[in-house]
Amino acid sequence: MAQSDGAHLIVTFFAKHRPSNALSQTNPDAFKTQYHAWHPIFLSLLSQNVDLASATRSPLQSLAPGIFQSVYAISTPFPDPSTLRHNASIAAFEVAYALEIVFDLVPSGSLLGNLRPVKLAIFDMDSTLIDEEVIDELARSIGITDAVASITARAMNGEIEFEQSLRERLALLKGVKAEVWEDLKSVVTIAKGAKELVGYLKRRGVIAVVVSGGFAPMANWLKAQLGLDYAFANHLLVSPPNQSFPYPHLSGGLDPDHPIVVPEYKRQVLESLAKEHSIPLSETFVVGDGSNDLLMLGAAGLGIAWRAKERVQREAPQRLNGTTLSDLIYVLGGRAEGQEP
């Protein structure tokens, strides 16, 4: 973003535990009362990092019970939204008032009403668009869940390199029936709010993509289920029947004719699709939960770790831990279906 231009700092506040909070949707004004009680404290903290003296704040937007958004028109020097998110005083404020705050920065003149500009959205698959880790479900089908799941957990927390962990887990899965994907389709659960979020993005004309360190058969299935535009994932080799496995089965290896979806490849997909469609990175939106998503989260205009692993929570530019992906609609300035501006 050119430092000579103005910018809008978009701050979205999420009250934690909204569904079980006594101040429920039957009393939405109570949330707003709380907002006015703690917002001066937040402004004091923000002013230590952002020049608010010359800033203009738009009227408070109450997007839903317990969800508020403020937009500040600011001039240089621009804050780094990730630095704001990781600021110790702001983090302590979030804990004290049971909030999660998402910070975003866009060039002046790019907001369309309340809508954050976004033309390309990229999602991780496992534990993001779907609830499960597919490789763990493959392991479950042959009774080696614990062995594979322990490697998965270490990989998603960044304790071992993703490619190494993938090869170790696949070696354990040698012999799984090649037709297992059809069985998994009845097991896998599309994450709550995923259809609503993708539907919202598509109505805005956004290119929507899944980039997964999982496997192509499930990524392509999910692409069809959600109406995504692209799917990228790992391709596995299938071996013909033999004496040990008298049926077509997974060989335990990756197809060398296709790239391995490692963290660098995920970022490359983001950058290449943006370039192909002439989309500035500032107008890209990325969501993921694992350490292999950190590079693409950091390269996006807005990267949010969703219900992420511990390391990712610490390192991601932004994070949110709601119960439904449709919460992300509000971060983009939207509303629930039927209430969009």
Side-chain angles (χ1 to χ4, degrees):
M1 185 183 302
Q3 289 292 305
S4 59
D5 299 331
H8 287 102
L9 176 65
I10 305 169
V11 185
T12 311
F13 305 87
F14 291 83
K16 290 184 177 180
H17 316 303
R18 282 172 285 127
S20 59
N21 197 306
L23 302 173
S24 67
Q25 292 193 18
T26 61
N27 191 13
D29 288 341
F31 280 118
K32 198 166 184 177
T33 300
Q34 283 190 337
Y35 173 94
H36 288 296
W38 52 249
H39 192 245
I41 301 170
F42 171 76
L43 285 178
S44 176
L45 296 173
L46 186 63
S47 66
Q48 298 173 24
N49 301 274
V50 181
D51 179 11
L52 295 181
S54 59
T56 302
R57 181 165 66 94
S58 65
L60 167 70
Q61 296 288 321
S62 180
L63 306 181
I67 304 175
F68 305 95
Q69 190 173 84
S70 290
V71 180
Y72 305 83
I74 60 175
S75 55
T76 56
F78 299 141
D80 176 0
S82 179
T83 299
L84 294 176
R85 205 282 276 185
H86 291 95
N87 178 276
S89 296
I90 291 176
F93 169 83
E94 288 180 298
V95 172
Y97 289 94
L99 297 167
E100 286 192 315
I101 306 173
V102 176
F103 296 92
D104 190 14
L105 190 72
V106 300
S108 289
S110 62
L111 284 178
L112 305 173
N114 296 315
L115 299 180
R116 188 226 194 266
V118 57
K119 295 179 181 175
L120 172 65
I122 295 185
F123 299 92
D124 176 45
M125 180 172 71
D126 295 33
S127 297
T128 300
L129 287 180
I130 62 175
D131 289 341
E132 296 80 10
E133 293 285 339
V134 168
I135 198 164
D136 293 346
E137 296 306 317
L138 288 172
R140 195 183 314 279
S141 72
I142 58 172
I144 57 169
T145 304
D146 292 344
V148 170
S150 65
I151 302 174
T152 300
R154 291 170 60 208
M156 292 301 98
N157 271 320
E159 297 171 21
I160 54 176
E161 291 295 325
F162 181 78
E163 182 175 348
Q164 174 192 345
S165 74
L166 179 61
R167 292 187 183 278
E168 287 182 10
R169 288 175 290 172
L170 287 179
L172 295 174
L173 295 173
K174 181 178 180 178
V176 170
K177 291 182 178 179
E179 63 190 26
V180 69
W181 309 112
E182 291 304 314
D183 296 332
L184 287 183
K185 291 173 187 177
S186 64
V187 172
V188 164
T189 306
I190 294 176
K192 183 179 179 181
K195 292 180 179 178
E196 291 79 4
L197 174 58
V198 173
Y200 167 78
L201 291 168
K202 297 306 295 179
R203 289 192 295 276
R204 285 186 57 179
V206 176
I207 298 168
V209 184
V210 60
V211 182
S212 174
F215 308 114
M218 297 307 296
N220 287 324
W221 170 79
L222 187 63
K223 172 178 176 283
Q225 293 294 305
L226 295 179
L228 302 170
D229 297 288
Y230 297 93
F232 300 87
N234 291 304
H235 291 253
L236 303 183
L237 291 173
V238 174
S239 296
N242 57 34
Q243 188 171 2
S244 298
F245 305 106
Y247 46 80
H249 59 275
L250 302 185
S251 73
L254 292 159
D255 188 337
D257 293 333
H258 293 273
I260 303 172
V261 183
V262 293
E264 294 79 6
Y265 181 76
K266 287 192 170 193
R267 180 175 61 186
Q268 179 185 333
V269 168
L270 166 67
E271 294 171 344
S272 62
L273 283 177
K275 182 177 181 180
E276 178 184 344
H277 294 278
S278 301
I279 297 170
L281 285 175
S282 63
E283 297 184 7
T284 62
F285 174 53
V286 169
V287 182
D289 76 298
S291 62
N292 60 331
D293 298 316
L294 281 169
L295 289 180
M296 70 171 181
L297 288 170
L302 176 57
I304 297 181
W306 174 253
R307 298 175 61 90
K309 309 303 185 290
E310 181 180 353
R311 176 195 168 191
V312 185
Q313 295 265 0
R314 293 195 308 266
E315 298 183 17
Q318 305 295 324
R319 59 84 176 88
L320 194 59
N321 293 283
T323 60
T324 170
L325 281 166
S326 60
D327 278 354
L328 297 176
I329 294 173
Y330 301 113
V331 175
L332 301 174
R335 303 290 191 275
E337 188 172 358
Q339 300 179 343
E340 294 167 24

